[in-house]
Amino acid sequence: RVTKEVDSTSKEAKSFLKQQEKWQSAAPASFPTVSGVKRASGMSSLLGKIGSKKQKMSTLEKSKLDWENFKEEEGIVEELAIHNRGKDGYIERKAFLERVDHRQFEIERDIRLSRMKP
């Protein structure tokens, strides 16, 4: 079990609360008993316990959680944010390569079209 404290106004907290609401609304309906107290019947309760498996954490989720914890422990969150905004950032390099690839494609397309016309 992993515990993480976040600000109640953060995106992560809001998405967690929405997920909890979905789980509660998707809970199986219980049946009323003679005394008026709602209880799940024996068979449906048993089947519900058998059918509801614990959700396992995927490798990607675990890696993401480990990375977030590492960044917080080492205090490098701000440093990474500043570094990734600059020209040396991964996103900026990726966008540059996409622009170059698109430009190269346009040049090759223009050459092919010019050869077809005559």
Side-chain angles (χ1 to χ4, degrees):
R1 181 171 201 132
V2 179
T3 329
K4 183 177 181 182
E5 292 183 18
V6 294
D7 187 21
S8 62
T9 58
S10 69
K11 288 181 183 179
E12 188 174 359
K14 290 177 183 176
S15 67
F16 177 76
L17 290 174
K18 285 181 183 178
Q19 188 178 30
Q20 289 295 334
E21 290 174 3
K22 287 180 183 177
W23 284 350
Q24 289 175 357
S25 65
S30 56
F31 301 101
T33 60
V34 176
S35 64
V37 178
K38 293 186 175 184
R39 290 186 181 167
S41 67
M43 185 57 95
S44 67
S45 176
L46 182 61
L47 291 175
K49 288 179 183 178
I50 293 172
S52 64
K53 295 180 181 177
K54 288 185 178 180
Q55 291 184 348
K56 293 183 180 179
M57 185 179 289
S58 71
T59 305
L60 291 177
E61 291 170 341
K62 176 69 173 138
S63 296
K64 181 180 178 184
L65 187 65
D66 289 344
W67 175 242
E68 293 298 326
N69 288 336
F70 176 78
K71 289 192 302 188
E72 288 177 14
E73 289 172 5
E74 297 295 320
I76 59 174
V77 175
E78 291 179 15
E79 184 179 338
L80 286 171
I82 291 170
H83 179 72
N84 285 335
R85 277 190 220 132
K87 287 186 175 182
D88 295 331
Y90 172 78
I91 295 172
E92 184 63 33
R93 284 183 270 158
K94 190 80 168 165
F96 170 76
L97 291 173
E98 287 176 10
R99 288 193 307 267
V100 168
D101 188 40
H102 185 70
R103 220 175 277 142
Q104 182 67 29
F105 171 76
E106 288 178 345
I107 291 170
E108 291 171 358
R109 183 192 65 199
D110 291 341
I111 291 172
R112 283 193 309 270
L113 290 174
S114 67
R115 289 182 183 168
M116 289 177 58
K117 288 182 181 179

